[in-house]
Amino acid sequence: MKLRSAFLAATTLIAVGSSAAFAKPGDPGREKVVAAIKADHDASIDRLRKWIALPTIANMNINHREGAEYMKQLVLDAGFQQAKIIDTAGVPGVFATLDAGAKDTLAIYFMYDVKHYDPAEWSSPPLEGKIVDRPGEGKALVGRGAVNQKGPETAFLTALRAFKTSGVKLPVNLVFVAEGEEEIASPNFSQVVTQPEVKAALEKAVGIIIPSASQSVDGQVTLLLGAKGAVELQLISSGEKWGRGPTKDVHSSLKANVDSPVWHLIKALNTLVSEDGQTPAIDGWYDNVKPLTARQKELIAADVAAGNEADDMKTLGIKHWYKDEDYLTASYRLAEQPTINIQGLVSGYMGPGGKTVLPGRAEAKIDLRLVPDMTKDEVISKLKAHLAKRGFGDIEVNVSGGYGPNQTDENSPLIKAEQATLADAKIPATLSARSAGSWPGVVFTGPPLHLPAGQFGAGRGGGAHAPDEWLLIESTNPKVVGFDGQAVLYADFLYEVARTAKKKN
């Protein structure tokens, strides 16, 4: 889940203060819920560690069915009355409902898959969930999925369990959908959402969230109003498909009179971007790109004025923005430009030293980032047509997953409930017009559901997709909540959703 880019475009401050959440009049039973969350702390962390120990890795065919069964049991244990596994053409999804007899319904999206990992790169086993000291911050749990997204999701389930064990009625009904393929761009998730029973349940919701832990070291949370879409694909050049060059690796001395599928791929890749290697050059690529609105530019400008360019560059490990643009221009570009990125190049001999071969096959792993109003089908069609027009029609375009961008109105009841919850908790928060990262929110914000969607939560973590991924469990920083604080905030959010929906009604 690609949930948050290194820095997010378009933000504006809405609240400041400490991070202690408190109740409002009309939140019956909240004290009991908070007490239940605190009493459940050790058991909650144990549940998180056990979940981390069972990784579902979609692109490696690891624990597909086991992950779905585990996800199903977790939501049943948290209080959902029914849960079922929804089979797809790939990894199964999970659908569940909780009828609290409330007037309003909130939808919840989970991913139960994680990125793969190399244990040799970790300071402790990636599936152990070891608790370590994090200087200046507190105690953190290290493990694959700790922050992306099993940690925040476990905190949400802990809040639900607290309602259940304390006998306090949930203020809203819940609809739950989960997938095990988010990390490969959700190729089959729409098959879950379009099931008649699932679709009918989601249509009753006021909006949908994915739990997140996005507090900065200063305690700030960024609320997302949208995210770029993503398409993952592989471009494959082979002597077999091309009809030229070898169909297998041959001796490199033959390069003088034998064509190279590797150079063929490189020449094709060169046509996808301009001479600077940055700007997309696919025919018609910008036909449906929607410019930033005046309001979005206003938010970006306000963020840049209050931001710290040097810190952003240090975090990213860079010394220049593209074309040496100023901070504001670079921030506009991050939010509004669709991209073509090479994740990796694979061909021939990849071991130490050299090996004199002329490879018969080469592959480029590509991701595309899309902005409104681009679509997955549109960009794939344009990519194929672009390659064919230039004599590269033999290159295979293997699309492994993808979806379009999503956008939610900042005035929607869901976003207002998020803002109000954080304001009451005295947690500083920002609005982000669009994340450069991606998640399949368009499945909900697009037709036929047209639901408001967002990522929500507090707490802090890092290292998503990287070694030593972590989630803060016990915070020594008064500006940042620990695990229990995350769970309490979710409980308060459920109360606030009911309150906000009531005002609208």
Side-chain angles (χ1 to χ4, degrees), residues 242-246 250-261 358:
W242 188 18
R244 307 185 65 86
V250 298
H251 199 281
S252 65
S253 65
L254 296 169
K255 180 63 187 76
N257 64 356
V258 176
D259 291 309
S260 168
L358 192 168

Side-chain angles (χ1 to χ4, degrees), residues 180-422:
E181 295 181 307
E182 198 280 340
E183 295 292 11
I184 58 170
S186 308
N188 299 293
F189 185 51
S190 62
Q191 296 175 30
V192 176
V193 175
T194 55
Q195 288 279 329
E197 182 182 11
V198 180
K199 177 176 173 289
L202 287 169
E203 286 175 337
K204 300 175 183 177
V206 298
I208 186 163
I209 66 159
I210 172 174
S212 67
S214 58
Q215 273 189 292
S216 69
V217 71
D218 295 325
Q220 182 172 305
V221 169
T222 299
L223 299 176
L224 300 174
L225 299 176
K228 287 183 177 179
V231 179
E232 290 202 31
L233 56 91
Q234 299 82 44
L235 296 180
I236 302 170
S237 172
S238 66
E240 180 182 1
K241 290 286 185 180
W242 188 18
R244 307 185 65 86
T247 58
K248 60 182 180 180
D249 290 3
V250 298
H251 199 281
S252 65
S253 65
L254 296 169
K255 180 63 187 76
N257 64 356
V258 176
D259 291 309
S260 168
V262 183
W263 281 111
H264 186 56
L265 177 62
I266 290 171
K267 295 294 185 182
L269 291 173
N270 256 337
T271 73
L272 302 183
V273 293
S274 59
E275 285 299 316
D276 60 10
Q278 180 80 6
T279 307
I282 293 174
D283 297 335
W285 187 251
Y286 289 92
D287 288 350
N288 296 315
V289 170
K290 185 177 181 179
L292 290 170
T293 66
R295 171 60 173 162
Q296 289 169 332
K297 286 188 173 183
E298 177 186 348
L299 295 177
I300 292 172
D303 178 54
V304 167
N308 188 317
E309 181 179 15
D311 281 353
D312 279 340
M313 286 188 163
K314 181 179 179 181
T315 298
L316 295 172
I318 63 172
K319 295 182 179 179
H320 304 275
W321 303 119
Y322 168 62
K323 292 175 63 174
D324 290 319
E325 291 175 340
D326 60 74
Y327 194 25
L328 178 59
T329 303
S331 298
Y332 284 154
R333 183 181 296 279
L334 180 67
E336 70 182 351
Q337 180 173 302
T339 60
I340 302 169
N341 177 59
I342 299 175
Q343 299 177 5
L345 294 168
V346 183
S347 183
Y349 177 66
M350 305 293 287
K355 184 180 180 183
T356 51
V357 295
L358 192 168
R361 183 183 186 278
E363 176 181 337
K365 298 180 183 294
I366 304 289
D367 68 69
L368 314 174
R369 300 285 172 171
L370 316 182
V371 300
D373 291 319
M374 304 172 81
T375 67
K376 172 188 171 184
D377 290 344
E378 169 207 351
V379 297
I380 293 170
S381 176
K382 287 178 176 177
L383 170 62
K384 290 179 177 179
H386 174 96
L387 291 172
K389 181 180 177 181
R390 287 158 178 79
F392 299 107
D394 61 280
I395 290 180
E396 296 176 68
V397 180
N398 178 20
V399 181
S400 52
Y403 43 81
N406 69 80
Q407 201 73 44
T408 289
D409 188 338
E410 65 180 291
N411 295 311
S412 66
L414 181 75
I415 302 301
K416 292 299 183 184
E418 291 180 352
Q419 290 178 309
T421 304
L422 292 170

